[in-house]
Amino acid sequence: MLHRLIIDSPSFKRIIYLQNSCYLIGRHPSNSIVIPSPQISRRHATLLKKINESLEVSFHIIDGDLEGNRSRNGVWINGDSYLEYELKHGDVITFGVDIKGYYQVVPSQQELEENQVPAKVRTARSFSTYMPQEQWENTITVDTPVQELPQERLKKLASIIEYNPYPIIEVNYQGEITYLNSAANERFALLTQEQSEHPLLQGILDGVGDRGGYIVTREVKINEKFFEQHIHYLAESPFIRSYIFDITERKIVEQSLNYQAFFDPLTDLPNRFGFRQELSRLINDHQAHSGLLAVLFLNLREFQSLNDTFGHTIADEVLCLVTERLRTYVRSGDMLCRWQGDEFAIILTTCEAEEEVQAVVQRLLKVLKRPFLVNNTPLYLQANIGIAFYPDHGENSDTLLMNANAALNDHQDLTTPHYRFYNPLITSRQSNRFKLERDLHRALERDEFLLYYQPRVLVSTGQIVGMEALLRWRSPDDGLIAPGQYINVLEESGLIIPIGEKIIRLAAEQQLIWQRQGLPPIKLAVNLSARQFQEPDLIADVLRIVGEVGLDPSSLEFEITETAVMQDVMMARQTLDRFQAAGINLALDDFGTGYSSLAYLKQFPFNTLKIDRIFVKDLLNSTEDMAIVKTIITLGQGFHLQVVAEGVETLEQAHQLLALGCEEMQGYWFSRPLPEAEMTQLLGQGGDRRFCV
């Protein structure tokens, strides 16, 4: 069979007969198949030749190159996008808007007829790779009887075959060897002894009645060598002639390319392409069997931190140790692959019930909890696993993989430690999250974010001495949306960085407006998220924004949580010192809920200590909360910090806090967060006598 690819575009048409092991397709001149169009990526796709156990040839197309780089537009087969796909006759490959490829598999005889070669003149076209043109052009049958050819012509024809450097074998239709040229005698000394048992002659007579005039190509392995055998069933002749070519070097290259395409070089495990291929095969086989087919996605929870701390070399060593351990505990008949980074994928092929899968998963999690010894240092990791079943959670490989990955990445309501079975609610949650993130991007572009302000009150006088700027989102469809519904998504998506900058600018602009209106001077506090606090250019961005607005930096205060400070103590100290040097006040937010370390109260330059609302809520009913609040107030005063209680909702709570020595408070009992106009009005009043306690 001949495999060919027809490239069709408005500017050119090209037919490529596919014989090599690998073809690179793209617009760059170094590619095997060059498509000169800006619609095409430099390395758009890769064609790989594969030969199965039955010696059937097929071609697989991969999006991008063998190094994992994907094309810009993707590879589309018959209207669907694929990362890897086994081509079939008639497939249409869309490379660009008006550039298509047509893959065809045609019999050799059909090709000869299409090219209008006379029926009685048959050439071994595919021999051109090995034999010079002048040699193989003479391997023809013609209407002139051999006995009528001149003797010189006969001698020349005989010498071409006899002294050809490639082995040529001729047998009759009884399987008996009738001729071996010198190269065949020298290369295959056992041919005459083994006769039809020799690998080159096994099966050569199968189906001979249907092959008159045809050339059949097959691969034969003899010891450690690979040969390509072209078997010519001569028309109107009692002989079958074979031309043998050593393709060992090509096979080594082909195997190397196949390894690069379908295996991970670090762990020697199948990669995602090999995994997808095997999963598709298993799904097809499994349709006739009962039992469960399970797909598992596994990732290592602390691996990124390990990579950052010890470097890539140690991280790679740990991945190899993880692979060895997983190999030992994955059952015989199951498949393990390295998907990407610290992610592995597993196929469990023969499970009778969900409980059996659960037992395997628990065993894998348990074995990965044991320390990994690297340079005599024990390193500890834990894994998460997502699980999907065929056919309940998907009837094809793409859907199964997508749902197993969704289960892995689902963080909601974990009732079992570190693993989750897929259910449709996961997709619904993740779909809602995706929509929310998309809407947040649009909200940022459309200026739908604004600030509300909650006053901070000195309860002995009722005077407003400060306020906290709080983010709000006014959606044109859903109105004012509570921050609890989207703050986590802002953090996880990284949108908190541009939105955080917008908050700082809005707060600075509003503070300047109030100052120009002659309202009482107050501190305006802005919250910094943990993600923002880790940004290396944070202080530079803050000073740039207040400089552009024209505001004195000392008019702002930034609130930072304990958790954000303790993620990197050295970096935190440097950042906080730079804030202090710029004259910006600093507040430690949510004190008591995290590390509550006396050391960093002394070490870091905070001006304000805020008591978290969780301790204020049950202050009147809990002796433990009462003791915690009293201790925080005493600590703050001992370190000369201004202590502020958050979440004050009743007059009784305010009285009790004042009795414990806390004079500044904020919460719903004093005022809910207010829009700019209402806050301006409240500031103009200088406070409210009802705020007095």
Side-chain angles (χ1 to χ4, degrees):
M1 305 296 283
L2 295 175
H3 299 255
R4 66 187 181 188
L5 181 66
I6 302 173
I7 306 293
D8 190 17
S9 80
S11 57
F12 70 93
K13 181 174 182 178
R14 185 180 175 194
I15 301 176
I16 302 103
Y17 286 91
L18 305 174
Q19 296 179 342
N20 296 340
S21 301
C22 178
Y23 294 87
L24 298 177
I25 304 173
R27 72 170 189 269
H28 194 270
S30 64
N31 288 293
S32 318
I33 300 174
V34 180
I35 304 177
S37 169
Q39 300 177 32
I40 307 299
S41 301
R42 288 168 59 85
R43 297 281 187 269
H44 197 92
T46 304
L47 280 177
L48 286 177
K49 180 181 181 181
K50 300 208 72 180
I51 301 175
N52 64 18
E53 295 176 355
S54 304
L55 301 179
E56 296 170 333
V57 175
S58 63
F59 280 86
H60 291 241
I61 188 167
I62 295 173
D63 183 9
D65 59 24
L66 294 177
E67 296 178 2
N69 302 310
R70 301 283 161 256
S71 66
R72 185 175 63 241
N73 300 325
V75 172
W76 295 78
I77 316 292
N78 305 325
D80 294 319
S81 177
Y82 292 92
L83 290 176
E84 186 266 340
Y85 179 84
E86 180 179 355
L87 290 169
K88 295 177 285 295
H89 176 69
D91 282 338
V92 180
I93 308 166
T94 302
F95 293 108
V97 175
D98 52 5
I99 302 174
K100 298 189 182 301
Y102 300 91
Y103 177 77
Q104 297 177 347
V105 183
V106 294
S108 304
Q109 180 68 14
Q110 178 179 332
E111 185 197 32
L112 292 171
E113 291 171 356
E114 288 175 353
N115 290 317
Q116 298 180 345
V117 178
K120 292 195 176 184
V121 181
R122 296 183 172 86
T123 66
R125 176 187 178 103
S126 58
F127 300 168
S128 59
T129 307
Y130 312 98
M131 299 176 65
Q133 187 78 8
E134 65 272 11
Q135 289 189 23
W136 65 259
E137 278 184 345
N138 287 294
T139 59
I140 62 174
T141 61
V142 296
D143 288 334
T144 306
V146 173
Q147 59 268 29
E148 294 180 15
L149 292 173
Q151 285 299 312
E152 288 300 317
R153 177 66 169 161
L154 287 173
K155 288 179 181 179
K156 185 176 180 180
L157 286 173
S159 66
I160 287 173
I161 296 175
E162 179 62 26
Y163 297 111
N164 194 296
Y166 301 100
I168 298 174
I169 304 168
E170 193 173 82
V171 299
N172 60 25
Y173 278 81
Q174 286 71 49
E176 300 165 336
I177 297 174
T178 58
Y179 173 74
L180 299 175
N181 74 345
S182 299
N185 272 311
E186 181 180 344
R187 194 63 183 270
F188 307 111
L190 298 177
L191 254 173
T192 53
Q193 178 182 334
E194 296 181 359
Q195 292 285 332
S196 61
E197 296 301 316
H198 193 277
L200 289 171
L201 299 183
Q202 289 178 8
I204 201 169
L205 298 178
D206 296 347
V208 292
D210 301 324
R211 295 180 176 176
Y214 275 74
I215 294 176
V216 174
T217 302
R218 68 180 186 178
E219 285 187 11
V220 179
K221 185 179 181 183
I222 303 175
N223 298 323
E224 298 304 315
K225 293 285 189 177
F226 293 90
F227 299 91
E228 191 166 84
Q229 181 179 14
H230 297 261
I231 308 169
H232 192 178
Y233 295 88
L234 300 170
E236 301 176 5
S237 170
F239 302 112
I240 303 168
R241 185 174 296 158
S242 289
Y243 304 85
I244 317 298
F245 306 100
D246 189 336
I247 60 168
T248 303
E249 187 175 335
R250 191 188 85 187
K251 287 295 291 185
I252 291 172
V253 173
E254 189 175 292
Q255 289 170 355
S256 175
L257 289 171
N258 185 72
Y259 181 86
Q260 293 175 42
F262 296 102
F263 286 84
D264 172 54
L266 176 66
T267 61
D268 201 31
L269 291 174
N271 63 14
R272 63 169 68 190
F273 298 112
F275 188 85
R276 283 177 178 273
Q277 194 175 62
E278 180 64 10
L279 180 58
S280 296
R281 185 190 70 78
L282 286 171
I283 287 174
N284 290 334
D285 292 348
H286 202 79
Q287 290 172 352
H289 301 87
S290 59
L292 294 174
L293 179 68
V295 174
L296 280 57
F297 265 123
L298 179 153
N299 70 3
L300 305 172
R301 298 171 67 192
E302 294 83 11
F303 188 77
Q304 186 57 53
S305 175
L306 182 148
N307 198 3
D308 294 340
T309 304
F310 296 99
H312 294 296
T313 301
I314 296 297
D316 285 350
E317 190 173 343
V318 170
L319 281 175
C320 292
L321 293 173
V322 169
T323 299
E324 289 177 15
R325 204 171 286 183
L326 289 173
R327 270 198 181 112
T328 303
Y329 285 87
V330 168
R331 307 171 313 167
S332 174
D334 295 338
M335 183 180 186
L336 170 66
C337 115
R338 184 186 178 197
W339 190 258
Q340 63 179 6
D342 64 339
E343 266 188 37
F344 295 82
I346 301 168
I347 304 173
L348 303 182
T349 56
T350 53
C351 295
E352 297 303 322
E354 187 175 304
E355 290 74 20
E356 187 178 347
V357 175
Q358 189 169 343
V360 172
V361 167
Q362 290 173 341
R363 186 167 68 246
L364 294 175
L365 290 172
K366 183 178 179 180
V367 75
L368 291 177
K369 284 184 179 179
R370 299 205 313 258
F372 295 90
L373 198 62
V374 179
N375 296 336
N376 294 320
T377 302
L379 300 175
Y380 293 87
L381 296 171
Q382 293 192 67
N384 290 328
I385 296 179
I387 309 148
F389 293 112
Y390 170 83
D392 295 354
H393 302 148
E395 295 184 352
N396 57 61
S397 59
D398 286 343
T399 306
L400 266 180
L401 291 168
M402 179 181 67
N403 290 338
N405 193 51
L408 173 69
N409 294 322
D410 185 62
H411 305 296
Q412 301 290 326
D413 305 324
L414 282 174
T415 55
T416 51
H418 310 317
Y419 67 92
R420 173 174 293 287
F421 294 99
Y422 175 79
N423 69 69
L425 287 177
I426 292 175
T427 299
S428 176
R429 273 198 300 268
Q430 294 183 352
S431 176
N432 291 339
R433 187 199 180 284
F434 177 81
K435 179 180 181 300
L436 178 57
E437 184 175 338
R438 182 196 64 197
D439 291 344
L440 287 168
H441 275 279
R442 290 178 179 172
L444 180 60
E445 294 169 0
R446 298 171 180 175
D447 286 329
E448 293 174 7
F449 292 105
L450 67 159
L451 294 182
Y452 273 43
Y453 304 89
Q454 187 172 40
R456 201 165 87 192
V457 176
L458 181 64
V459 294
S460 58
T461 64
Q463 181 183 1
I464 296 174
V465 293
M467 70 179 70
E468 182 177 355
L470 299 166
L471 181 66
R472 294 293 184 265
W473 173 20
R474 190 181 300 280
S475 165
D477 299 322
D478 303 313
L480 206 61
I481 302 176
Q485 296 183 35
Y486 56 85
I487 288 295
N488 287 342
V489 177
L490 292 181
E491 283 273 356
E492 293 169 6
S493 66
L495 274 171
I496 194 66
I497 303 303
I499 290 178
E501 285 192 16
K502 184 176 183 64
I503 292 171
I504 295 169
R505 184 175 296 277
L506 289 174
E509 290 172 346
Q510 188 57 56
Q511 178 72 308
L512 185 63
I513 290 171
W514 283 330
Q515 289 178 0
R516 288 175 175 173
Q517 289 176 346
L519 296 174
I522 58 169
K523 294 288 184 187
L524 178 55
V526 176
N527 289 284
L528 287 178
S529 73
R531 183 79 174 265
Q532 282 177 282
F533 193 65
Q534 300 298 322
E535 286 293 299
D537 298 327
L538 172 63
I539 184 67
D541 289 338
V542 169
L543 294 178
R544 172 180 54 80
I545 291 169
V546 295
E548 290 171 356
V549 171
L551 180 72
D552 184 346
S554 64
S555 300
L556 294 178
E557 180 177 71
F558 285 96
E559 297 187 3
I560 301 137
T561 64
E562 290 183 89
T563 305
V565 169
M566 296 307 293
Q567 284 182 3
D568 186 337
V569 174
M570 185 176 296
M571 184 279 295
R573 177 59 194 261
Q574 293 172 352
T575 302
L576 294 174
D577 284 346
R578 293 180 67 192
F579 270 114
Q580 184 188 43
I584 298 173
N585 278 17
L586 298 166
L588 183 60
D589 200 10
D590 300 343
F591 187 77
T593 62
Y595 297 87
S596 304
S597 168
L598 297 181
Y600 66 70
L601 274 182
K602 179 180 178 181
Q603 180 182 0
F604 296 147
F606 289 109
N607 308 98
T608 303
L609 188 63
K610 301 192 79 172
I611 303 171
D612 191 79
R613 65 185 67 248
I614 193 172
F615 303 117
V616 175
K617 180 181 177 182
D618 294 323
L619 179 66
L620 302 176
N621 303 315
S622 168
T623 55
E624 291 84 359
D625 286 346
M626 180 79 76
I628 291 171
V629 170
K630 184 176 181 180
T631 301
I632 293 173
I633 293 171
T634 303
L635 283 173
Q637 292 172 345
F639 284 100
H640 307 291
L641 302 176
Q642 186 64 50
V643 180
V644 179
E646 295 182 297
V648 180
E649 297 184 354
T650 68
L651 180 60
E652 291 76 19
Q653 289 172 341
H655 276 299
Q656 185 61 63
L657 287 165
L658 183 59
L660 293 173
C662 179
E663 295 186 343
E664 287 192 24
M665 307 176 198
Q666 72 180 77
Y668 279 16
W669 189 79
F670 302 100
S671 173
R672 291 177 175 273
L674 301 173
E676 171 267 324
E678 293 181 35
M679 193 69 232
T680 301
Q681 183 180 0
L682 187 59
L683 282 174
Q685 298 170 0
D688 195 323
R689 290 300 302 170
R690 69 181 179 84
F691 292 166
C692 294
V693 175

